[in-house]
Amino acid sequence: QMNRPAQAAAAAHTFFVANPGHQEMRQNLEYYQAMVGVREDDFTDLEVKPHLSEFRLGVRFYTEEQPAAAILHLEKALEEYFVADTECRALCEGPYDYEGYNYLEYNADLFQAITDHSMQVLSCKQGCVTELASQPGQEKPLEDFLPSHFNYLQFAYYNNGNYEKAIECAKTYLLFFPRDEVMNQNLAYYTAVLGENLARPIQPREEIQVYHQRSLMEKELLFFSYDVFGIPFVDPDTWTPEEVIPKRLREKQKVERETAARISEEIGNLMKEIETLVEEKAKESADMSKFIREGGPLVYEGASVTMNSKALNGSQRVVVDGLLSAEECRELQRLSNAAASAGDGYRGKTSPHTPSETFYGVTVLKALKLGQEGKVPLHSAYLYYNVTDKVRHMMESYFRLEVPLHFSYSHLVCRTAIDEKQEGRSDNSHEVHVDNCILNAEALVCVKEPPAYTFRDYSAILYLNGDFEGGAFYFTELDAKTETAEVQPQCGRAVGFSSGLENPHGVKAVTKGQRCAIALWFTLDPRHSERERVQADDLVKMLFGMEEGDLELET
């Protein structure tokens, strides 16, 4: 009403962030977006916490595989976190809050009053963990918020080739979760690469050691007062060691948990018969839907399904032949040998998966840029671009997806056997893994959390040749040992599958010759679409003067 649309847009955006279901405010935002004089950067969150803003940026760059930018923002997030933490803790140092007591009715001697006030201040300071991890519009705070910074950072530093900082961040994370199996494995790997002598002196970050020790001392006092004086305390952290809690209180909590578990078990037993019937019916429907959902048209003439999920002894799996001609396969293989660089995508490591093979790769954008510069045939780079889109459309159609797939990463790669390193070889070309979670084969679980690319939903490999020995693609059970299906590569053959724990897979050793393929990962979430692909789309439009719809027709 005061004709200040930029400020109105910021206020509306701030309200909408905290209340994303508010339809009227959504309409207001759409109105402001259409107004003349309102810019994109006017839609800012006026109540954003600097440490949360930097953390979200860091995580975004991490998921976009930009480790340098992720490190910059995550380190800044930590700085802002401790500024906010200091301020939050200082605000706890106030007068005693009687919490419902009338001042005149509060009856305590000097020692009790001191105890009540001290414990209230400490409990408030511990509550800063929750305060700093809370986001507008979200019911629950981010769990293990501070430790998670170092989980992201250790992997970002590793991806950036800085093993000293990766070790420092891994050791810092282990202050909170010393038995974390994955982090201990990461630390062992970083130590092996850097060398024991250089890795041993590296310590967890000093300010985190101080924070950790102070927090433990506060928790000990609060749990003691809970046990002895009955002053309630709800621990905001999941990492608190059991020994910090007094034995009597631990036993009391154990009894409470056992009682709750027994009640739950009794209710569960009453419902067991009904649930079993429901599960059986649901399983029958699910088994049917897996096959019903698959089997859509392949879109392209000459393409045919060679093996479906049933033939591959799993779900959401398919092998398709006829996606490329022999000449197209040869052209793409020549492109790979001309444009690919050693260890591309693995910080230049020539043999990232096994010392018995070399690994060369090139992305779509890099190939197009080399074509633009005249260093490789532009037609070949354009073929590479079109072929990846062809596979994407085929996957969308065959798996009957209701929303489009977005590229997460595309890589034309060749694995070449090193002749003198084949004798006595027992490893794989690529060990069994899952594309969107961390596989723990011993425990038969797959943990869907970073550093895994949790946003990947579908995967595909398009083979360019079969004139080599070994190199078969294979699916396994979660134990990574029980093989369920094997696919022999050949020109124009693609294997497509969902990226989750239902499809552990690996590549057997290439023992002679060169194995070339285009590896593709897709996401259903447009927020995680590959930035390089957008740049590649723009470059193709510039080079060939086509609009997006025309590009799709070329595939």
Side-chain angles (χ1 to χ4, degrees):
Q1 289 182 343
M2 295 176 68
N3 197 28
R4 294 164 66 180
Q7 287 88 339
H13 179 76
T14 302
F15 180 88
F16 189 70
V17 167
N19 304 275
H22 200 283
Q23 292 303 314
E24 185 180 349
M25 197 56 67
R26 182 189 293 275
Q27 293 170 1
N28 290 350
L29 283 170
E30 291 172 357
Y31 172 73
Y32 294 137
Q33 285 168 349
M35 286 185 71
V36 176
V38 178
R39 300 170 302 171
E40 184 71 28
D41 55 7
D42 288 329
F43 294 91
T44 56
D45 186 352
L46 302 174
E47 294 183 350
V48 68
K49 299 173 183 177
H51 67 281
L52 278 171
S53 177
E54 293 291 341
F55 178 76
R56 284 196 291 264
L57 279 171
V59 172
R60 193 189 86 192
F61 284 118
Y62 172 88
T63 57
E64 292 176 356
E65 301 179 37
Q66 299 185 56
I71 289 166
L72 181 70
H73 288 285
L74 288 168
E75 292 287 11
K76 182 64 176 175
L78 282 169
E79 289 180 26
E80 295 291 351
Y81 181 93
F82 283 108
V83 170
D85 184 61
T86 301
E87 180 181 345
C88 179
R89 291 174 66 84
L91 291 172
C92 292
E93 300 277 2
Y96 182 65
D97 182 352
Y98 291 92
E99 298 179 345
Y101 284 102
N102 182 289
Y103 174 78
L104 296 175
E105 293 177 358
Y106 178 67
N107 184 21
D109 59 27
L110 176 63
F111 293 108
Q112 184 182 346
I114 292 171
T115 300
D116 288 346
H117 194 179
S118 299
M119 292 306 103
Q120 188 179 83
V121 169
L122 286 184
S123 185
C124 174
K125 288 180 176 180
Q126 282 285 304
C128 289
V129 171
T130 303
E131 174 68 24
L132 269 59
S134 297
Q135 303 179 92
Q138 301 295 321
E139 291 184 10
K140 294 182 179 179
L142 295 167
E143 191 172 77
D144 303 321
F145 181 50
L146 180 59
S148 70
H149 285 71
F150 295 98
N151 190 14
Y152 284 111
L153 277 169
Q154 57 91 21
F155 205 69
Y157 276 120
Y158 160 68
N159 281 327
N160 213 34
N162 191 335
Y163 287 93
E164 291 88 349
K165 297 296 285 184
I167 289 171
E168 178 193 60
C169 291
K171 288 186 175 180
T172 304
Y173 182 87
L174 288 169
L175 282 176
F176 299 97
F177 301 102
R179 296 174 184 167
D180 188 282
E181 185 178 348
V182 173
M183 192 61 71
N184 277 299
Q185 289 174 355
N186 290 352
L187 178 59
Y189 174 74
Y190 304 151
T191 301
V193 173
L194 186 64
E196 183 70 36
N197 291 336
L198 292 174
R200 191 184 304 110
I202 299 173
Q203 295 298 314
R205 293 196 181 180
E206 187 175 350
E207 67 271 26
I208 305 300
Q209 292 187 60
V210 172
Y211 172 93
H212 181 258
Q213 187 60 35
R214 181 188 67 192
S215 184
L216 286 179
M217 291 174 66
E218 290 176 353
K219 290 177 194 293
E220 285 181 5
L221 286 169
L222 286 161
F223 277 121
F224 176 80
S225 69
Y226 188 4
D227 182 38
V228 176
F229 304 117
I231 302 173
F233 168 59
V234 178
D235 191 354
D237 294 308
T238 65
W239 55 262
T240 304
E242 191 180 69
E243 55 268 21
V244 169
I245 306 172
K247 184 179 179 182
R248 185 170 57 183
L249 189 57
R250 284 205 307 270
E251 290 173 351
K252 179 183 175 184
Q253 291 175 341
K254 183 182 177 183
V255 169
E256 289 173 351
R257 284 195 300 270
E258 288 174 350
T259 302
R262 190 174 63 253
I263 293 170
S264 297
E265 187 179 358
E266 289 172 358
I267 294 172
N269 288 335
L270 289 171
M271 300 296 294
K272 191 172 182 180
E273 225 176 285
I274 298 172
E275 286 178 355
T276 302
L277 289 171
V278 170
E279 283 174 9
E280 286 174 358
K281 291 292 183 184
K283 188 176 185 300
E284 287 174 13
S285 300
D287 288 343
M288 287 298 296
S289 67
K290 284 177 185 176
F291 296 107
I292 293 169
R293 189 179 177 191
E294 297 176 25
L298 294 178
V299 183
Y300 299 102
E301 187 178 345
S304 61
V305 174
T306 304
M307 300 175 78
N308 60 13
S309 289
K310 189 173 182 180
L312 290 165
N313 301 310
S315 64
Q316 294 287 284
R317 300 174 180 178
V318 68
V319 174
V320 175
D321 282 331
L323 288 173
L324 291 173
S325 67
E327 178 51 41
E328 286 173 329
C329 286
R330 286 192 292 270
E331 184 175 351
L332 288 169
Q333 197 169 359
R334 287 194 297 269
L335 173 67
S336 172
N337 289 323
S341 54
D344 184 68
Y346 293 91
R347 298 173 305 285
K349 292 181 180 178
T350 308
S351 302
H353 301 300
T354 168
S356 304
E357 299 172 20
T358 57
F359 180 96
Y360 282 73
V362 62
T363 62
V364 172
L365 180 63
K366 184 179 177 183
L368 286 168
K369 285 182 175 178
L370 290 172
Q372 183 186 22
E373 295 165 4
K375 294 179 180 177
V376 300
L378 183 56
H379 178 271
S380 300
Y382 187 39
L383 173 63
Y384 176 17
Y385 172 89
N386 279 332
V387 162
T388 58
D389 230 17
K390 188 175 187 178
V391 175
R392 177 169 67 92
H393 289 308
M394 182 272 290
M395 293 280 287
E396 287 174 342
S397 181
Y398 180 79
F399 287 112
R400 302 182 187 273
L401 302 180
E402 295 176 357
V403 293
L405 287 172
H406 303 271
F407 288 98
S408 170
Y409 193 57
S410 310
H411 214 196
L412 170 55
V413 299
C414 289
R415 306 165 187 265
T416 306
I418 303 172
D419 291 337
E420 60 271 21
K421 293 188 178 180
Q422 298 305 313
E423 188 175 348
R425 181 179 176 185
S426 59
D427 65 346
N428 279 331
S429 178
H430 201 144
E431 296 300 338
V432 173
H433 60 283
V434 177
D435 286 343
N436 70 8
C437 54
I438 302 166
L439 178 61
N440 183 337
E442 291 183 4
L444 300 179
V445 296
C446 203
V447 183
K448 198 167 184 179
E449 63 179 30
Y453 298 111
T454 57
F455 47 85
R456 290 178 175 172
D457 296 299
Y458 282 87
S459 309
I461 303 102
L462 175 61
Y463 300 108
L464 305 183
N465 67 320
D467 55 342
F468 52 85
E469 293 180 9
F473 175 96
Y474 66 105
F475 290 108
T476 73
E477 299 286 3
L478 271 178
D479 62 5
K481 296 176 183 177
T482 307
E483 187 174 317
T484 57
E486 182 177 284
V487 179
Q488 291 294 337
Q490 65 180 48
C491 167
R493 170 170 288 180
V495 56
F497 51 95
S498 55
S499 304
L501 57 78
E502 66 277 5
N503 283 320
H505 58 279
V507 179
K508 295 182 179 179
V510 178
T511 55
K512 188 175 182 180
Q514 183 184 67
R515 175 192 192 271
C516 294
I518 298 174
L520 299 150
W521 293 271
F522 305 101
T523 177
L524 295 167
D525 187 346
R527 295 174 300 175
H528 293 293
S529 59
E530 183 186 20
R531 182 171 294 184
E532 267 205 15
R533 186 68 188 200
V534 177
Q535 294 173 311
D537 291 340
D538 292 340
L539 184 55
V540 166
K541 291 173 190 175
M542 183 189 77
L543 291 172
F544 298 95
M546 296 178 178
E547 295 301 319
E548 189 172 347
D550 298 325
L551 294 180
E552 292 188 2
L553 291 174
E554 286 290 315
T555 61

